[in-house]
């Protein structure tokens, strides 16, 4: 059973529309759609934005529906100085939470997640490479690298550059790192596929509503192509 999570309606509605033999069940106010996508058993949910919503959703998918792997699809802000542009696809090699910080009391260790003891969580190499191959075939290219997650919509060069300089991230969003954390704690493989909707800079507030739909649908279309290979 493959779990697929998107935060916003536009990030999952194409999947729910394409799902066959679908059944819906609501748990903790989130609706989980079970059925087949491209002939593959899947469970799809719209989790709502942010780290808490997405982690809870991932854990429910794992514990209640046996999801493995879990794939996070959606849009992200691209780090333009790393050549990541609106409309580009990014498949994460790893995720981190840029706003997790206990350095005032823990020093160098203060960016490491409790229990897991590390800052970066590696995505599943096999699933991620299949997603990336499909992106190369369908769109002629894909970015591979770190995605930075936090409970913030990034809309200014200063904050973006601080995150990019400190972490080396290619893109920022609000769920991949926390879905990764829930999956890592449960030893479930995960992947993060994002299409860029804005540059997380001073234009992001205008770009996001302009490009989110088109980019989110690109990520969904790619996922539908990739599912039978997973
Ligand atoms: N998702 C899409 N664009 C984003 C941004 N600029 N910051 C955080 N999450 C995003």
């Amino acid at each position: 059973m493959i779990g697929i999570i998107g935060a916003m309606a536009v990030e999952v509605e194409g999947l729910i529309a394409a799902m066959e033999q679908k059944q819906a069940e609501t748990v903790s106010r989130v609706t989980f759609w079970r059925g087949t996508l491209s002939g593959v058993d899947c469970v799809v949910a719209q989790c709502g934005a942010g780290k808490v919503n997405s982690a809870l959703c991932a854990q429910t998918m794992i514990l209640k529906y046996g999801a493995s792997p879990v794939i996070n699809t959606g849009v992200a802000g691209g780090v333009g100085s790393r050549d990541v542009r609106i409309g580009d696809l990014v498949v994460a090699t790893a995720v981190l939470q840029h706003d997790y910080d206990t350095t005032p009391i823990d020093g160098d260790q203060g960016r490491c997640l409790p229990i897991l003891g590390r800052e970066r969580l590696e995505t599943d190499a096999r699933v991620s490479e299949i997603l990336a191959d499909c992106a190369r075939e369908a769109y002629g290219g894909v970015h591979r690298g770190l995605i930075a997650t936090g409970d913030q919509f990034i809309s200014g060069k200063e904050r973006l550059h601080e995150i990019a300089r400190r972490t080396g991230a290619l893109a920022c969003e609000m769920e991949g790192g926390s879905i990764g954390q829930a999956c890592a704690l449960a030893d479930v493989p995960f992947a993060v596929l994002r299409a860029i909707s804005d540059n997380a800079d001073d234009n992001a507030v205008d770009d996001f509503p302009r490009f989110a739909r088109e980019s989110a649908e690109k990520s969904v279309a790619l996922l539908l192509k990739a599912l039978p290979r997973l």
Side-chain angles (χ1 to χ4, degrees), residues 19-86:
M19 189 172 254
E20 290 176 29
Q21 291 135 25
K22 64 184 165 222
Q23 283 180 297
E25 189 178 12
T26 300
V27 180
S28 300
R29 305 191 194 200
V30 171
T31 301
F32 293 82
W33 295 88
R34 274 178 296 167
T36 60
L37 282 172
S38 311
V40 180
D41 286 336
C42 292
V43 52
V44 176
Q46 180 195 342
C47 66
K51 295 192 299 178
V52 174
N53 282 335
S54 54
L56 289 171
C57 181
Q59 183 154 45
T60 301
M61 273 194 173
I62 292 164
L63 296 182
K64 191 168 168 71
Y65 301 108
S68 180
V70 173
I71 301 173
N72 176 212
T73 174
V75 297
V79 178
S81 57
R82 296 189 202 284
D83 244 21
V84 181
R85 309 279 171 220
I86 292 173

Side-chain angles (χ1 to χ4, degrees), residues 100-154:
Y100 186 82
D101 183 7
T102 61
T103 53
I105 50 170
D106 294 325
D108 285 351
Q109 294 303 303
R111 296 282 182 182
C112 294
L113 296 170
I115 305 174
L116 293 168
R118 55 193 197 276
E119 179 182 7
R120 285 159 201 247
L121 304 174
E122 307 280 315
T123 56
D124 184 76
R126 189 189 71 85
V127 173
S128 301
E129 206 40 54
I130 291 169
L131 294 172
D133 278 344
C134 289
R136 288 183 198 104
E137 286 165 25
Y139 299 109
V142 66
H143 301 275
R144 300 297 318 276
L146 182 73
I147 289 184
T149 299
D151 278 326
Q152 299 164 343
F153 185 87
I154 307 297

Side-chain angles (χ1 to χ4, degrees), residues 131-229:
L131 294 172
D133 278 344
C134 289
R136 288 183 198 104
E137 286 165 25
Y139 299 109
V142 66
H143 301 275
R144 300 297 318 276
L146 182 73
I147 289 184
T149 299
D151 278 326
Q152 299 164 343
F153 185 87
I154 307 297
S155 58
K157 273 217 161 76
E158 209 171 303
R159 179 78 181 122
L160 175 69
H161 287 165
E162 190 277 314
I163 294 167
R165 200 176 331 107
R166 177 162 53 80
T167 67
L170 298 183
C172 59
E173 38 81 312
M174 301 178 66
E175 297 84 20
S178 38
I179 289 171
Q181 184 175 0
C183 290
L185 287 167
D187 288 317
V188 166
F190 73 98
V192 181
L193 165 66
R194 296 276 179 162
I196 301 302
S197 56
D198 58 84
N199 295 313
D201 58 8
D202 305 333
N203 299 320
V205 170
D206 295 325
D207 288 341
F208 179 82
R210 261 181 82 196
F211 297 110
R213 174 167 291 277
E214 199 179 317
S215 292
E217 285 171 356
K218 198 167 183 179
S219 187
V220 162
L222 188 78
L223 198 47
L224 287 172
K225 268 196 217 300
L227 278 170
R229 297 201 206 170

